[in-house]
């Protein structure tokens, strides 16, 4: 009886000197191979993106594409849970999904190389489609995904080779290998040997045992890690070439012909009330909300703002044309996000310089039939701003300066829109490259498509900043302080109540501008024990902040901010 008639041999026949590896260990190694192949793919893709632009990186492109596809409740959860770190969370999430996928691809690849490679091609395809179809994307943006998929396939092949084969793709490989070793093809003896060897391999594979070249697997893994790290790190470095920080700092901000009003003495209560945010938010502390995974980098020398649609004289403007205008204004404005929760911190204040929006739009002959301006940014965002407000709200502007500097890149460099009194999602398009005068009937902007309110007037709002919620302090006198805002109307009154007592008027900081938040402070006497502190504001139009609690969706949160503190 020959081997071949005997059926599977009781033990596998590993290559001489190679220890036997069980099926579980082989599968684990294959999963690791998948993971490492994915790392090589991503590293090479980052390297390619280093020549094309960060937004063409598949991770960034896929993450960016995922943002608009993410259901609104998930997004709200992400913003609430991760706050302004939501983007890091998204990238980590994208990588985690990819890692699980890669582990599976590795294990599938062990059974069938063809399926494994197909898995990588699918992964490359997802990156390709995401990069090419992004608003500012072109076919060139698909190159990093293609390069990554090719490198990943090669890496998977190299990493799986030392793990031996299983039935399926392995049959052909071994047949080919056997054929290669048998020069006298066609002789019965050679055929027998090839067949015998094949059966042996199949038998071993059926029991999940195979000749695993551990040494070669380790060496190949090390090479893969090195390639992934060097290519990835190098790519990220190269991507910095596209950053406009240097060009930004070379820009000289023009002087406004209409400077901001002088601040009254004692304007900033934060100078005497510790724990209160300063009247003006430093640029680095300014809140940030947008959907851009990589901050758009618009070169000032190539910048252009294009007016289209219902304008009598639609045209484009270079940055110098905007900087050189002789009607630049400087204004103090508090910007607020519709997603701000009661007590939230998605509101900040800056001294802005910009082109008066109403005058600018009238010059271009904006037509009376337009009720919506669709503001477009370089990353494809569309923000629908009411034409009426853009024309009529005093101090609405195309902002170019923020607290004495050109706009920070993350806050819309080089040009963004600002319309006081409206939440940012309908008024404050960053990285502004186009304004289309149109109608609400003709176009749904990004947030409107997601069922946020079409118009977004800011609610009268107040917040306790100090003491912090759940703080313990000695019983006795305690300063309670915070901010309140009702842009365009101004704050007339802020009241605080302790537990179930009557509301008491707080001291207000001097009014600087109706578009600016107003700080307030009230000393209260607290006996030993737990207390609840509640604040409410009234705007100059006489609207008292409502106690009715509503969530931010769809038109801004309402309700009083209330905190618990403990006097000891
Ligand atoms: N291009 C672009 N502009 C945008 C956004 C965005 O996602 N993309 N977000 C808007 C929202 S919701 C807000 S609240 C403000 C925030 O501006 P900031 O990041 O400078 O604070 O920008 C607005 N402009
Ligand atoms: Mo927002």
């Amino acid at each position: 009886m020959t081997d071949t008639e005997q059926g599977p041999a009781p033990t596998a026949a590993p290559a001489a000197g190679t220890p036997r590896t069980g099926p579980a260990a082989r599968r684990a190694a294959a999963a690791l191979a998948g993971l490492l192949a994915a790392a090589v793919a991503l590293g090479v893709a980052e390297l390619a993106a280093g020549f094309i632009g960060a937004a063409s990186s598949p991770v960034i492109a896929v993450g960016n594409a995922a943002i608009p596809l993410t259901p609104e409740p998930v997004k709200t959860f992400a913003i609430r849970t991760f706050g302004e770190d939501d983007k890091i969370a998204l990238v980590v999430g994208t990588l985690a999904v990819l890692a699980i996928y890669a582990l599976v691809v590795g294990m599938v690849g062990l059974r069938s190389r063809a399926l494994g490679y197909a898995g990588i091609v699918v992964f490359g395809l997802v990156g390709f489609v995401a990069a090419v179809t992004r608003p500012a994307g072109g076919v060139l943006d698909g190159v990093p995904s293609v390069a990554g998929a090719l490198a990943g396939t090669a890496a998977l092949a190299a990493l799986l080779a030392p793990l031996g084969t299983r039935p399926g793709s392995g049959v052909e490989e071994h047949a080919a290998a056997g054929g290669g070793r048998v020069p006298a093809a066609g002789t019965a003896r050679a055929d027998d040997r090839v067949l015998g060897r094949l059966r042996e391999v199949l038998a071993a594979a059926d029991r999940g045992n195979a000749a695993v070249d551990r040494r070669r697997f380790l060496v190949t893994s090390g090479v893969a890690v090195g390639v992934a790290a060097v290519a990835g790190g190098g790519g990220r470095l190269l991507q910095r070439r596209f950053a406009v920080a240097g060009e930004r700092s070379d820009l000289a901000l023009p002087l406004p012909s209409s400077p901001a009003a002088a601040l009254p003495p004692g304007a900033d209560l934060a100078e005497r009330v510790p724990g209160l945010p300063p009247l003006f938010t430093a640029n680095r502390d300014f809140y940030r909300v947008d959907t851009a995974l990589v901050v758009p980098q618009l070169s000032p020398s190539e910048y252009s703002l294009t007016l289209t649609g219902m304008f009598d004289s639609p045209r484009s403007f270079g940055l110098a044309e905007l900087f050189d205008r002789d009607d630049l204004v400087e204004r103090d404005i508090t910007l607020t996000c519709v997603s701000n929760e009661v007590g939230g911190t998605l509101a900040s204040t800056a001294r802005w310089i910009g082109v008066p929006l109403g005058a600018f739009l009238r010059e271009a002959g904006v037509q009376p039939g337009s009720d919506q301006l669709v503001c477009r940014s370089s990353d494809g965002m569309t923000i629908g701003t009411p034409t009426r407000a853009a024309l009529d709200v005093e101090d609405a502007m195309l902002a170019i300066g923020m607290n004495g500097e050109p706009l920070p890149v993350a806050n819309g460099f080089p040009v963004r829109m600002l319309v006081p009194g409206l939440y940012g999602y309908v008024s404050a398009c960053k990285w502004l490259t186009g304004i289309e005068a149109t109608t609400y009937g003709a176009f749904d902007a990004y947030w409107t498509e997601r069922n946020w309110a079409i118009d977004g007037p800011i609610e009268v709002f107040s917040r306790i900043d100090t003491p912090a919620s759940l703080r313990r302090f000695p019983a006795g006198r305690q300063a309670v302080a915070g901010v309140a805002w009702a842009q365009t109307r101004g704050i007339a009154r802020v009241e605080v109540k302790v537990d179930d007592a009557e509301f008491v008027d707080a001291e207000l900081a001097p009014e600087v501008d109706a578009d600016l938040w107003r700080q307030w402070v009230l000393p209260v006497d607290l006996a030993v024990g737990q207390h609840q502190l509640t604040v409410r504001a009234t705007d100059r139009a006489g609207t008292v902040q409502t106690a009715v609690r509503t969530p931010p969706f769809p038109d801004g949160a309402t309700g009083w901010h209330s905190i618990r503190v403990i006097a000891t």
Side-chain angles (χ1 to χ4, degrees):
M1 268 209 317
T2 63
D3 247 14
T4 50
E5 285 160 341
Q6 222 171 29
T11 53
T18 309
R20 231 171 286 146
T21 305
R26 257 182 101 229
R27 268 199 298 277
L32 179 63
L35 197 63
L36 292 175
V40 168
L42 290 188
V44 168
E46 287 303 316
L47 185 62
F51 296 93
I52 293 164
S56 67
S57 140
V59 180
I60 298 298
V62 170
N64 262 332
I67 296 175
L69 298 178
T70 308
E72 222 43 54
V74 176
K75 229 182 281 183
T76 307
F77 165 81
I79 292 177
R80 188 175 309 152
T81 311
F82 304 112
E84 298 188 39
D85 292 332
D86 57 343
K87 291 186 187 60
I88 299 171
L90 177 62
V91 171
V92 170
T94 306
L95 289 175
V97 170
L98 174 62
I100 293 167
Y101 178 75
L103 293 170
V104 174
V105 165
M107 288 190 284
V108 167
L110 188 62
R111 281 199 85 86
S112 155
R113 293 289 196 278
L115 273 182
Y117 301 152
I120 294 191
V121 169
V122 165
F123 156 66
L125 212 60
V126 170
F128 182 90
V129 170
V132 167
T133 57
R134 69 191 182 85
V139 180
L140 199 61
D141 289 297
V143 170
S145 296
V146 174
L150 288 176
T153 309
L156 188 65
L159 284 158
L160 288 180
L163 299 182
T165 44
R166 296 203 50 136
S169 67
V171 175
E172 296 92 42
E173 282 178 33
H174 275 270
R181 264 188 259 120
V182 184
T187 74
R189 239 186 113 221
D191 278 359
D192 273 356
R193 259 170 49 195
V194 172
L195 263 177
R197 168 93 185 105
L198 221 140
R199 300 253 166 137
E200 211 171 77
V201 166
L202 285 182
D206 272 344
R207 282 185 310 277
N209 289 343
V212 168
D213 190 339
R214 292 182 182 186
R215 208 189 135 81
R216 191 170 144 212
F217 181 72
L218 284 180
V219 171
T220 315
S221 298
V223 171
V225 168
V227 168
V230 171
R236 296 310 292 264
L237 277 180
L238 283 173
Q239 287 166 32
R240 290 202 200 149
R241 289 182 306 138
F242 299 97
V244 293
E247 283 181 88
R248 173 182 173 273
S249 56
D250 289 344
L251 278 183
L253 200 59
L255 285 179
S257 58
S258 167
L263 294 181
D268 191 352
L269 278 192
E271 282 162 13
R272 61 180 170 94
V273 182
L276 196 56
L279 182 58
F280 290 96
T281 316
N283 283 353
R284 67 173 176 285
D285 297 331
F286 205 94
Y287 86 91
R288 176 182 165 202
V289 172
D290 55 58
T291 59
L293 257 193
V294 285
V295 177
Q297 307 282 330
L298 298 190
S299 160
S301 52
E302 289 158 28
Y303 176 81
S304 124
L305 171 64
T306 305
L307 305 186
T308 56
M310 301 164 77
F311 286 104
D312 290 337
S313 30
R315 54 166 286 216
S316 294
F317 298 81
L319 193 61
E321 269 178 285
L322 301 180
F323 271 50
D324 292 346
R325 285 180 66 106
D326 55 17
D327 61 349
L328 296 180
V329 295
E330 181 185 53
R331 296 291 181 264
D332 300 335
I333 299 167
T334 297
L335 183 62
T336 313
C337 180
V338 70
S339 296
N340 193 47
E341 306 263 355
V342 170
T345 54
L346 297 180
S348 302
T349 293
R351 173 160 289 188
W352 311 86
I353 292 178
V355 176
L357 187 55
F360 181 78
L361 295 171
R362 284 194 177 87
E363 268 173 34
V366 63
Q367 294 163 5
S370 162
D371 60 7
Q372 175 179 224
L373 300 178
V374 175
C375 306
R376 292 198 162 80
S377 67
S378 61
D379 64 343
M381 170 55 79
T382 53
I383 292 207
T385 303
T387 311
R388 222 7 339 118
L391 283 171
D392 294 350
V393 170
E394 213 185 321
D395 300 342
M397 65 167 86
L398 298 176
I400 54 172
M402 181 170 166
N403 290 330
E405 297 172 17
L407 293 181
V409 180
N411 300 97
F413 180 79
V415 180
R416 78 176 304 170
M417 195 178 273
L418 283 180
V419 182
L422 299 179
Y423 289 116
Y425 82 109
V426 289
S427 68
C429 189
K430 307 196 272 189
W431 313 292
L432 181 70
T433 54
I435 302 176
E436 180 189 358
T438 177
T439 63
Y440 283 110
F443 187 84
D444 279 346
Y446 182 89
W447 302 105
T448 314
E449 268 187 325
R450 285 156 185 81
N451 297 319
W452 287 82
I454 277 190
D455 205 348
I458 296 176
E459 305 273 351
V460 54
F461 221 70
S462 58
R463 177 180 87 198
I464 299 171
D465 285 289
T466 180
S469 182
L470 300 178
R471 260 289 287 281
R472 288 171 173 274
F473 43 76
R477 182 144 282 216
Q478 173 72 32
V480 184
V483 289
W485 60 76
Q487 290 89 322
T488 66
R489 285 104 69 201
I491 290 291
R493 184 180 197 188
V494 171
E495 299 159 285
V496 175
K497 73 173 179 169
V498 179
D499 302 320
D500 293 324
E502 293 293 299
F503 271 110
V504 176
D505 274 278
E507 177 199 341
L508 292 175
E511 177 147 57
V512 178
D513 190 298
D515 295 336
L516 210 59
W517 60 17
R518 219 163 158 187
Q519 300 157 315
W520 56 266
V521 60
L522 181 71
V524 295
D525 290 308
L526 297 177
V528 172
Q530 242 200 58
H531 298 284
Q532 185 168 32
L533 305 174
T534 305
V535 64
R536 75 171 181 201
T538 305
D539 69 17
R540 286 212 181 276
T543 308
V544 182
Q545 185 178 353
T546 174
V548 179
R549 278 252 181 176
T550 61
F553 183 82
D555 56 1
T558 62
W560 294 340
H561 187 209
S562 208
I563 63 167
R564 287 195 170 278
V565 293
I566 303 123
T568 53

